[in-house]
Amino acid sequence: MLITPASAEHVTEIARGLDHPWSIAFLPGGTDVLVTLRSGQLLKLAPGQAPQAIAGVPQVFHAGQGGLFDVLLHPKFADNHLLYLSYAGGTKAANQTRIARARLDGGRLVEVQTIFRVMPTKDTPVHFGGRMAWLPDGSLVMTTGDGFDYREQAQRRQSGLGKIVRITADGRPLSGNPFAAAKGAQASIWSYGHRNPQGLAVDAVTGRLWEHEHGPQGGDEINLIVKGGNYGWPVATFGKDYSGATISPFQRYHGMIDGRVVWVPSIAPSGLAVYRGPLWPAWAGDLIVGALAAQEVRRIDVDAAGRVVGQSRIFPSIRARIRDVRVAPDGAVWLTTDEEKGRVLRVTP
């Protein structure tokens, strides 16, 4: 069900000419932001200043969909200046999604340490995942993709592909993870059966963890993530293979969790935020989703019980491949566009 579109918005262009900007993080004070570029740069944007390149970023595997992904500040960043970067590392023959932790010291990263690597490696430059978030208990979660040619591994607990992982702030799996004591399973796994997760967000009020992922031709999903949940890929899907072949005869399967939203045809969702802010009070608890293929931004109307009751296109003046969606401390919605000369946009009513 589509609900009434939002009223007119005001769009401010914060930056332009950026090489595929991927993610945004708001620095303390509310004026400066960090932006990752898929090519491997981390930039600081400050009002009235040219973008500043931050030195010390780990070397990335920049090919296909690979490169530098998310930037996430430590919950106590104001005190310790620690941040986290997810990125593709390795080579064409053996690459993986990684997490690096570093301390921001002026215009450079110091004490850079890779704290997590997805195993096994793969030889495809696609489906890395790489979205990160903090859970209310202080644990770090990250999405991993299925590597495209290795979709069966999304169902295998021995593999880190096609998962959401949960680790400590220094990269160790937690004893409370659902398969930490299971023989042969990777201890870091929190949920599994994911294809190409490009959105991850925590509702600071309810603690709910939301994720969305690309299907193949059709079958994009929004999921409410629960501990140990199996989200179906590739056993259950509404999508078809790119050749037109059937991937699975099942759209749903016993014991596997259905998406709260399924898109057929695909919109290619990327970027996900839970709206909590003063500028659109009626949106409290709703999800804001960017779309690459559909080139739009959508609001997913979520009720108090976590049920999706509607969706609509918002910000109709913006027609672009949206890569990231973030809600700023003042309630404005920030977006990045997936282009060779990409933009960072700030949207207010």
Side-chain angles (χ1 to χ4, degrees):
M1 177 179 69
L2 289 178
I3 55 181
T4 305
S7 58
E9 73 282 354
H10 179 72
V11 181
T12 303
E13 187 176 84
I14 302 298
R16 66 185 310 169
L18 307 182
D19 185 6
H20 295 279
W22 214 92
S23 178
I24 300 171
F26 302 98
L27 291 169
T31 59
D32 299 351
V33 300
L34 297 176
V35 179
T36 59
L37 307 187
R38 196 177 69 203
S39 56
Q41 283 188 292
L42 177 65
L43 303 181
K44 179 180 176 182
L45 305 182
Q49 300 180 27
Q52 176 190 2
I54 303 298
V57 176
Q59 182 177 354
V60 307
F61 170 65
H62 182 216
Q65 296 170 358
L68 183 59
F69 304 135
D70 231 346
V71 54
L72 182 70
L73 304 187
H74 190 281
K76 296 181 179 180
F77 177 86
D79 298 322
N80 60 27
H81 293 182
L82 292 178
L83 58 79
Y84 294 74
L85 298 171
S86 61
Y87 65 102
T91 66
K92 180 180 178 180
N95 58 77
Q96 62 196 169
T97 308
R98 301 176 181 177
I99 299 175
R101 182 180 65 184
R103 184 166 58 84
L104 181 62
D105 183 8
R108 66 180 297 105
L109 300 180
V110 298
E111 301 167 18
V112 181
Q113 180 185 8
T114 299
I115 64 168
F116 187 82
R117 291 175 170 87
V118 174
M119 294 297 293
T121 60
K122 57 189 182 62
D123 58 3
T124 55
V126 290
H127 291 199
F128 290 92
R131 291 290 183 189
M132 298 185 293
W134 296 104
L135 292 181
D137 65 1
S139 59
L140 176 62
V141 285
M142 183 184 73
T143 66
T144 77
D146 69 350
F148 189 80
D149 288 340
Y150 303 97
R151 61 194 184 198
E152 294 80 8
Q153 293 201 31
Q155 286 294 318
R156 296 174 184 163
R157 298 174 189 169
Q158 301 93 332
S159 171
L161 299 177
K163 308 298 190 293
I164 293 176
V165 299
R166 174 176 174 260
I167 57 178
T168 65
D170 57 5
R172 294 175 290 107
L174 288 135
S175 59
N177 285 351
F179 311 113
K183 184 178 180 179
Q186 293 200 10
S188 61
I189 295 173
W190 186 247
S191 65
Y192 63 112
H194 301 292
R195 183 176 182 268
N196 186 18
Q198 294 290 291
L200 193 67
V202 175
D203 188 331
V205 173
T206 66
R208 294 181 185 125
L209 176 62
W210 294 94
E211 173 260 11
H212 66 53
E213 61 191 74
H214 292 189
Q217 291 196 106
D220 299 347
E221 298 177 354
I222 293 179
N223 293 302
L224 181 58
I225 302 300
V226 297
K227 178 181 179 179
N230 182 347
Y231 290 84
W233 176 256
V235 176
T237 178
F238 282 78
K240 296 286 186 181
D241 213 338
Y242 295 106
S243 66
T246 298
I247 294 170
S248 171
F250 305 108
Q251 294 179 333
R252 298 180 173 89
Y253 198 83
H254 179 70
M256 298 181 180
I257 301 172
D258 295 336
R260 296 296 174 105
V261 174
V262 176
W263 284 292
V264 178
S266 294
I267 68 166
S270 185
L272 176 66
V274 179
Y275 191 81
R276 296 288 182 184
L279 300 186
W280 290 278
W283 295 2
D286 291 348
L287 307 179
I288 311 297
V289 177
L292 295 165
Q295 299 188 27
E296 63 184 20
V297 185
R298 292 197 181 194
R299 174 170 73 101
I300 311 301
D301 191 2
V302 178
D303 70 11
R307 295 174 300 220
V308 172
V309 296
Q311 61 178 292
S312 63
R313 182 183 178 191
I314 57 175
F315 312 151
S317 69
I318 299 173
R319 191 72 177 175
R321 287 172 54 86
I322 303 300
R323 174 57 72 183
D324 198 19
V325 178
R326 303 284 171 168
V327 177
D330 65 0
V333 174
W334 287 54
L335 311 167
T336 67
T337 67
D338 183 51
E339 304 167 282
E340 289 183 1
K341 296 183 178 180
R343 295 172 292 160
V344 176
L345 306 175
R346 178 178 183 267
V347 188
T348 56

